[in-house]
Amino acid sequence: MAKTALNLAILFVLLALAQVVVFNHLFLFGVALPLVFIYFIIRLPVTLGANWSMTLAFLMGLTIDIFSDTQGMNALACTIFCTLRKPVLRLYFPREEDLTNPEPSIRSLGMGIFMKYLITMVVIYCALYFLIEQMSMLNPLRWLIRVAASSALTFVLILGIDCLTLGRSPR
C-alpha cells in the first residue's frame, strides 16, 4: 500500500510538472492542447475509494489551475471526470475482480480494452474542459474541433507514456 501511495505521489508530481512546464505551452495550430495530466486520474487504482479518488482528482485539477491560471476549470472538469471513471471502465471490462492489477493500464486490461477505455476518457475530459472554458460564448464548431484535436493529441501522448511504463515488471 505504501509503495502504491509513493508511486501515485511521484506520478502526480511528474505529470503536474510536465503539464505546467511543457504541455501548456504546446498549443498546436491554435486548437490542440495536450492534457496529459489526466493520465494520473485514469491510472488511479480501481480499488481506491470514491472519496479518495475524487479528492486526488480535485487536487490534481487545482494544482494545474494554480500554475496555469485557469480559474478552477481543471478542478471542476477533473472532479466530474473522476466520477465517470468506473462506469466507463465497466463498459469495456465488466468484472473489476478479473483485473491482474487494480491500476488500469495496457498490462492489466490488454491493448484493445485499454485503448477503448483511454480514448473514451480522453474525449470525455476534453469535452468537459472545453465546454467549461467556452461556457459564456459557445461556438459549437470551434468546440468540436478543439475537442477532436486535443483528444487525438492527448490520446497519443498518454498511450506513449503508458507504453513507457509497460517495460517495468509488476511487483
Side-chain angles (χ1 to χ4, degrees), residues 13-120:
V13 170
L14 288 177
L15 287 174
L17 274 173
Q19 184 68 42
V20 170
V21 174
V22 177
F23 295 114
N24 277 353
H25 302 289
L26 295 176
F27 200 57
L28 300 178
F29 307 111
V31 293
L33 176 67
L35 300 164
V36 297
F37 70 92
I38 64 171
Y39 181 62
F40 172 77
I41 301 166
I42 290 170
R43 281 294 299 263
L44 285 175
V46 179
T47 55
L48 194 62
N51 290 339
W52 278 108
S53 296
M54 288 184 37
T55 301
L56 290 172
F58 174 78
L59 289 173
M60 176 57 96
L62 185 63
T63 302
I64 300 302
D65 284 334
I66 289 169
F67 292 107
S68 302
D69 196 27
T70 50
Q71 305 151 353
M73 293 187 310
N74 285 300
L76 176 61
C78 283
T79 306
I80 296 169
F81 177 69
C82 188
T83 62
L84 300 173
R85 193 171 63 92
K86 280 190 179 181
V88 169
L89 184 59
R90 283 192 202 110
L91 280 174
Y92 303 116
F93 203 83
R95 297 188 49 169
E96 291 173 8
E97 56 271 359
D98 290 344
L99 284 172
T100 57
N101 183 358
E103 294 178 5
S105 65
I106 291 174
R107 180 182 295 133
S108 64
L109 296 175
M111 180 63 94
I113 293 173
F114 182 72
M115 286 181 70
K116 287 186 237 175
Y117 168 66
L118 181 62
I119 193 66
T120 304

Side-chain angles (χ1 to χ4, degrees), residues 139-146:
N139 179 348
L141 182 60
R142 180 158 170 76
W143 178 75
L144 281 174
I145 291 170
R146 290 184 80 186

